[in-house]
Amino acid sequence: MLPIPIRRPYEVERLPQTRLTALLSLLLRASDLLVLAVAAIVAHKLRFGGASMSIEFERAIARALLFTLVILGPSSTYRGWRAKDWPRHMLRLFVLWTAVFIAGVLYVAVLKVPGVTSRLWWGYWFVGAVAGSCALRLVCLCVNRWAHAHGHEVFRAVIVGRPETASRIAIGLRSTLAAETTLLGWFSVDENAAPSMSGLQHLGSVNALRHYVESQGVRQVWLSPGEADSHWTTQVLDALKHSTADIKYVPSLAGDAIFSGSVETLSGMPVINLRSSPLDGEAQVIKGIEDRVLALLILVLILPVMAVIAVGVKLSSPGPVLFRQKRHGLDCMPIEVWKFRSMRVHQETAGAVTQATRHDSRVTRFGRFLRRTSLDELPQFFNVLQGTMSIVGPRPHAIAHNDYYKSVVQNYMQRHRMKPGITGWAQVNGLRGETDTVEKMAKRVEYDLYYMQNWSVLFDLRIIGMTLVKGFLSKAAY
């Protein structure tokens, strides 16, 4: 089996970002550099009037940009903006900007760099950079609060535990993640538990958890049974094995932290990720940008080829050029996947989808060429631009196949914690075409989960490169 790396048990991470805060973070990183450069130019005009800027000043600005990347880049000033943390956040930002300018001044002083010793210029520049940076974060705070107030990027969450542990988690969520989380209520691990708790709705026993999570679109399940209730953890994981919800375990004792999941903190409580999203908010944004940029470039290159294929499909047999089929996308949401039609128009039995097999009479001669070369999947680049698919990711299967395989292949539905892809790690390793045995599907899922746990932009580019070299032709694609 392929090893699936797991983070160290006591590795403390920040609580996950939403896609909005991740996007704001990336924009803020670029904006800080722009503000720094603009502040330097404005300061030069205030100090020296209309005089042109010498090369020494330009070099000082370039050094400051480098110092900013080194000092501000790794800091927490780009992750989350909550009103109650605002004074502390601004103080930290002031200290970091001070460190940037001290580094710049020391460089000039120690190396005796001529031409940039004007104290007024440095002073104007510092004030402008700090003021501009603070203003940017105020804008981000307002955008974040407006989005949360209108229900955007808000996680729906439930708690599983006993009244005392559920109350502890609820207090932590409301004090730390109130804007990002809508707490729907709690499920008791004891069927005889008190049905009510101050300010927190009781949603029933743990037996009702699975249906509620699926019907209400719950994104996070916070689990904290008592010391005598450890068996409920297994029951909850089993009940949610087909769900893509994150599961977070809050141990009753510090000694309980014996799992191999990553660890966060919530209002001082250790939180173990029994299952978490393979891509946090920042990674989602980066992968989304990667997908759309590459898809746009690829579509510009292949549009003539797609036009020729469209004509070929139309001439091969009566029917539409494109074949549209419902598949499961991110978080098991239904999406419509587009392909060039490779079969003759036919009627499937209701609720059934028959995979193409060798010498399948439904496949046209031209369609067999398209399927063997994967050219039938080129319209899916429009799915990528639409945002329902990625270029690289687990291949989407028919919904009827998902309903079957989720019961016979372990962790099958966890593939849907990421957008489906046109190509994937499984496909470039030869796992394409018909899956006529459960073992073949299990192997494909194994490769998909490995990719999800090890995602990076370089890994995506590697898979795209392997697809170009050997991924188009396959004897297993009928």
Side-chain angles (χ1 to χ4, degrees):
M1 290 181 62
L2 285 172
I4 297 180
I6 302 177
R7 298 185 182 99
R8 295 186 299 275
Y10 295 98
E11 179 183 355
V12 177
E13 297 183 339
R14 295 172 287 252
L15 286 166
Q17 291 180 300
T18 64
R19 281 172 291 185
L20 174 64
T21 54
L23 178 60
L24 291 175
S25 174
L26 291 174
L27 292 175
L28 195 58
R29 290 176 185 273
S31 299
D32 271 344
L33 298 178
L34 180 62
V35 163
L36 183 66
V38 171
I41 295 171
V42 172
H44 188 274
K45 289 189 176 297
L46 290 175
R47 174 63 181 86
F48 302 105
S52 60
M53 185 176 290
S54 66
I55 187 66
E56 287 80 11
F57 283 98
E58 293 175 356
R59 289 173 177 170
I61 296 172
R63 287 193 296 269
L65 293 173
L66 179 61
F67 292 144
T68 300
L69 290 173
V70 172
I71 296 174
L72 263 70
S75 73
S76 61
T77 58
Y78 296 111
R79 292 186 68 94
W81 308 275
R82 299 186 180 92
K84 68 187 185 71
D85 297 331
W86 193 251
R88 184 175 56 185
H89 193 76
M90 290 300 99
L91 178 60
R92 184 184 299 116
L93 183 64
F94 178 82
V95 170
L96 290 173
W97 275 122
T98 301
V100 169
F101 277 85
I102 287 176
V105 171
L106 285 177
Y107 185 97
V108 170
V110 171
L111 297 182
K112 295 181 171 59
V113 179
V116 286
T117 57
S118 171
R119 288 174 292 180
L120 271 180
W121 178 69
W122 283 98
Y124 291 153
W125 187 14
F126 175 74
V127 171
V130 173
S133 186
C134 289
L136 287 173
R137 282 158 177 77
L138 180 60
V139 171
C140 289
L141 174 65
C142 293
V143 171
N144 217 32
R145 293 182 67 178
W146 179 89
H148 291 149
H150 288 78
H152 301 296
E153 299 292 327
V154 178
F155 295 113
R156 296 164 69 84
V158 296
I159 301 171
V160 180
R162 292 187 177 273
E164 60 275 11
T165 57
S167 176
R168 184 165 61 114
I169 297 174
I171 292 172
L173 286 173
R174 287 167 176 165
S175 63
T176 306
L177 296 174
E180 294 92 336
T181 304
T182 298
L183 186 54
L184 301 177
W186 72 291
F187 290 87
S188 56
V189 295
D190 182 359
E191 294 186 3
N192 299 317
S196 63
M197 184 189 304
S198 177
L200 191 61
Q201 182 181 359
H202 182 251
L203 301 172
S205 70
V206 72
N207 296 324
L209 176 64
R210 174 183 173 182
H211 179 264
Y212 189 89
V213 167
E214 292 178 353
S215 62
Q216 299 299 317
V218 174
R219 291 287 305 278
Q220 292 180 345
V221 177
W222 294 76
L223 176 62
S224 184
E227 294 178 48
D229 302 320
S230 58
H231 62 286
W232 285 109
T233 304
T234 303
Q235 181 174 340
V236 169
L237 290 174
D238 184 64
L240 299 179
K241 63 184 177 182
H242 301 323
S243 168
T244 58
D246 293 342
I247 302 176
K248 299 177 180 294
Y249 180 86
V250 182
S252 56
L253 295 173
D256 288 344
I258 58 175
F259 300 88
S260 296
S262 60
V263 179
E264 302 166 350
T265 58
L266 175 72
S267 295
M269 294 182 290
V271 179
I272 301 171
N273 281 313
L274 297 183
R275 191 170 74 204
S276 60
S277 175
L279 295 178
D280 63 10
E282 189 168 296
Q284 283 184 6
V285 172
I286 293 173
K287 186 166 176 62
I289 294 172
E290 169 202 327
D291 282 333
R292 286 170 172 82
V293 170
L294 290 179
L296 189 59
L297 292 174
I298 292 171
L299 279 171
V300 170
L301 296 174
I302 67 173
L303 277 177
V305 177
M306 292 179 68
V308 172
I309 293 174
V311 173
V313 171
K314 201 65 179 175
L315 295 175
S316 66
S317 66
V321 170
L322 293 181
F323 172 69
R324 304 165 185 263
Q325 188 177 46
K326 293 290 184 182
R327 303 288 175 96
H328 280 139
L330 178 65
D331 291 331
C332 295
M333 296 298 293
I335 63 172
E336 188 176 67
V337 174
W338 304 334
K339 300 175 71 173
F340 281 120
R341 182 175 57 83
S342 58
M343 292 184 176
R344 295 177 177 86
V345 176
H346 63 281
Q347 187 65 42
E348 287 275 12
T349 304
V353 178
T354 306
Q355 286 188 330
T357 58
R358 189 184 297 273
H359 309 306
D360 196 317
S361 60
R362 299 171 301 167
V363 181
T364 66
R365 182 177 299 179
F366 186 63
R368 186 166 286 110
F369 164 74
L370 293 180
R371 296 173 74 91
R372 184 64 58 86
T373 57
S374 297
L375 293 175
D376 62 323
E377 296 171 358
L378 293 183
Q380 290 170 22
F381 284 104
F382 289 107
N383 285 118
V384 175
L385 286 181
Q386 187 184 45
T388 56
M389 290 183 65
S390 289
I391 294 179
V392 180
R395 284 294 298 156
H397 300 152
I399 292 178
H401 294 161
N402 287 341
D403 292 338
Y404 169 73
Y405 284 113
K406 72 180 183 181
S407 301
V408 296
V409 177
Q410 187 177 10
N411 295 321
Y412 177 85
M413 294 303 283
Q414 299 312 308
R415 304 168 70 253
H416 298 96
R417 299 173 68 80
M418 179 180 282
K419 289 180 183 179
I422 298 175
T423 185
W425 184 232
Q427 283 64 47
V428 297
N429 281 282
L431 299 172
R432 288 190 58 209
E434 184 184 11
T435 50
D436 51 354
T437 66
V438 173
E439 289 72 21
K440 286 184 179 179
M441 182 60 78
K443 196 67 177 177
R444 182 180 291 188
V445 171
E446 184 180 326
Y447 274 80
D448 287 339
L449 296 182
Y450 178 86
Y451 164 74
M452 292 165 64
Q453 293 290 339
N454 292 274
W455 175 85
S456 69
V457 173
L458 290 179
F459 197 7
D460 275 357
L461 295 177
R462 176 186 174 188
I463 293 172
I464 292 171
M466 291 175 69
T467 301
L468 293 173
V469 172
K470 65 177 185 179
F472 281 116
L473 298 174
S474 173
K475 295 180 179 181
Y478 307 137

